[in-house]
Amino acid sequence: MTAAPRRRTTLVLAIVLAASLCLNLFLGGAWLAGRWFERRMETTTASVMRAYPPELRRDVLRRLLQDRAELRSAVGGLREARLRMFALMRADPLDRGALDAAMAEVRARTGALQALLQSALADTLAGTPAEERAKILPPNAGLGLLDDRDP
């Protein structure tokens, strides 16, 4: 075998190996991102739903993760809307009309995400026996936000 075909073979092999490495890194990253998203959802769901029994929380999370695309879209849309709102808050001069519109978008997207979560919760509760539902603990006072600590 002469030097030219050997170099060409080496070049082709190097390109194929580089492409394989890139594909493996991409797929590994996508897999890790999916696991990260699920772990974040578990953590967020656990903190938001601490008033509900663990079995009930697990079932709600399972229902939410059944349609990851819808959940990711809702979470991503809210995140983007919040970023736009905060950018408008920092802008100089402050455009009150644009800020009001951005805040309205954040409220709408928050409501859409809350509706998605409540729908999964209602679906779970529909199949949950009354004795399990009786274990749900309402907040001690206030709205159940920020621990509603007494002054």
Side-chain angles (χ1 to χ4, degrees):
M1 190 177 229
T2 63
R6 188 174 291 152
R7 276 189 226 132
R8 188 175 314 151
T9 302
T10 303
L11 179 62
V12 168
L13 182 58
I15 291 171
V16 168
L17 288 174
S20 174
L21 177 64
C22 290
L23 180 63
N24 283 320
L25 288 173
F26 174 76
L27 292 174
W31 179 78
L32 284 173
R35 297 285 298 153
W36 175 81
F37 179 77
E38 288 179 17
R39 180 61 79 192
R40 293 254 334 226
M41 281 306 302
E42 288 175 20
T43 303
T44 301
T45 303
S47 68
V48 169
M49 298 189 64
R50 65 181 175 262
Y52 302 96
E55 307 82 36
L56 203 137
R57 286 193 302 249
R58 279 191 291 277
D59 192 62
V60 170
L61 180 62
R62 180 188 58 76
R63 289 174 189 277
L64 287 171
L65 292 176
Q66 282 178 343
D67 192 356
R68 285 179 179 86
E70 183 180 9
L71 183 60
R72 285 182 187 193
S73 175
V75 170
L78 176 58
R79 183 181 317 112
E80 291 169 9
R82 291 186 76 223
L83 289 173
R84 283 190 295 276
M85 179 183 71
F86 284 110
L88 288 166
M89 288 177 179
R90 292 188 308 267
D92 189 27
L94 180 69
D95 182 344
R96 178 61 191 260
L99 181 59
D100 288 343
M103 288 179 167
E105 181 184 3
V106 168
R107 283 192 303 275
R109 291 188 180 271
T110 300
L113 180 58
Q114 186 174 18
L116 187 66
L117 297 171
Q118 288 177 345
S119 177
L121 176 60
D123 289 345
T124 294
L125 291 173
T128 303
E131 58 272 7
E132 284 298 308
R133 287 183 283 123
K135 296 177 185 176
I136 297 171
L137 303 172
N140 291 334
L143 298 174
L145 302 173
L146 305 175
D147 294 331
D148 284 335
R149 293 184 177 97
D150 292 328

